[in-house]
Amino acid sequence: MLDRLPEPSRLDRAPRNAAIGPSPMCDARASRLARTLAPLATTDGFSDTAIDGVKLIASGCSHPRTPLIYEPGLFVIAQGDKIGYLGDRVIHYGPGNYLVQAMPLPFECETLADPDTPLLGLSIGVDPLTLSELVHHLPAPARAERGSPEPMAAVALDAPMAEAVQRLADCLQDEYSSRALGEGRVREVLFAALNGPQGHSLRQLVQQHGHYARIAESLNYLHRHFALPLTVETLAERANMSASHFHHHFKRVTQLSPVQYLKRLRLLRARVLLGQQRVNVARAAADVGYRSTSQFSREYKRYFGVSPSRG
């Protein structure tokens, strides 16, 4: 059965002193970034920029908690607030911090914004090849610094990361600068993230060993072949793991069983198809791997709260 995500019980937030709130320096960095991005924010949502893999995030109003999925990337919020719900975790990422999304995970997200203080930010995609090249130039982390990787976590926006993101945002102001310098600016941001508190989560994606990397590759495979009749045994065999071990590590990383993950991925993909109004409900169900339209409609309504014909 595909159920809604449980109500969270654990609060995740980028480290900060709760008694004094964000530091003045942190506020100044976020405000400068917001001023740089504001002229570019002409539409709500995620908008492409002149730099491949970089999107502008904007919203002039709040949005309630909604199921979605992010592709791997870094999400820097300069103004407004985002709250993510993943299993029993509540993940806040707003001005002064950023979200490290090392793996594509279905979660729920709430947006806090208004016309006077719209949500503004940047999404920077994580290219595995670029990541691998950068990791090759980094020293191996000390054992004490490795820790347990989190596939999704909020991180404080330190000075190196803030400066790298600001240079990337400055570059977006001009098409010629974007073409000439954009790729290098993105590499700077990824390099800063690799040296940040969740750098090990990104580093382990390209180390090609361990359970974390195997689950990451399984997720990539799922996203390429979600419409096929996949089984846990098939995925486990591809990951060179027993079905029981694969199920255990998959759920540990994603907070979902492989079957739950696949269902949510299919439903989220179907919502995109229906939102584009290019297909009817039966065609959307078939395109994402459902053999029964009625089953698809039931699970869609259970997850999104509306029938696919309305949602």
Side-chain angles (χ1 to χ4, degrees), residues 11-16 22 26 30 46 57-58 63-71 73-86 89-101 105-113 118-124 151-157:
L11 178 65
D12 286 7
R13 181 189 297 274
R16 63 175 53 169
C26 187
F46 285 68
I57 306 171
H63 294 281
R65 181 172 169 174
T66 304
L68 50 72
I69 190 167
Y70 284 167
E71 293 299 318
L74 309 172
F75 300 84
V76 185
I77 303 300
Q79 184 172 274
D81 280 285
K82 287 273 194 180
I83 306 173
Y85 302 88
L86 179 67
R89 296 170 58 198
V90 182
I91 305 170
H92 287 250
Y93 54 110
N97 51 62
Y98 62 100
L99 183 74
V100 177
Q101 184 85 46
L105 301 181
F107 71 110
E108 295 188 345
C109 186
E110 181 179 359
T111 299
L112 304 178
L119 182 83
L120 293 169
L122 284 177
S123 162
I124 302 105
M152 180 177 179
V155 178
L157 189 69

Side-chain angles (χ1 to χ4, degrees), residues 221-222 228-237 246 258-259 262 266:
Y221 182 81
L222 273 173
L228 298 179
L230 300 171
T231 66
V232 175
E233 289 73 19
T234 299
L235 295 170
E237 185 177 353
F246 177 79
V259 171
L262 180 58
R266 285 173 171 172

Side-chain angles (χ1 to χ4, degrees), residues 169-188:
D170 290 340
C171 188
L172 290 172
Q173 306 302 307
D174 178 75
E175 182 180 354
Y176 299 103
S177 296
S178 295
R179 291 177 180 174
L181 305 174
E183 184 178 343
R185 297 290 186 253
V186 169
R187 289 175 66 90
E188 281 188 84

Side-chain angles (χ1 to χ4, degrees), residues 6 10 12 16-17 74 89 150 189 192 256 278 280-281 308:
R10 175 177 151 207
D12 286 7
R16 63 175 53 169
N17 187 331
L74 309 172
R89 296 170 58 198
E150 289 274 15
V189 171
L256 297 168
R278 295 179 180 176
N280 59 26
V281 173

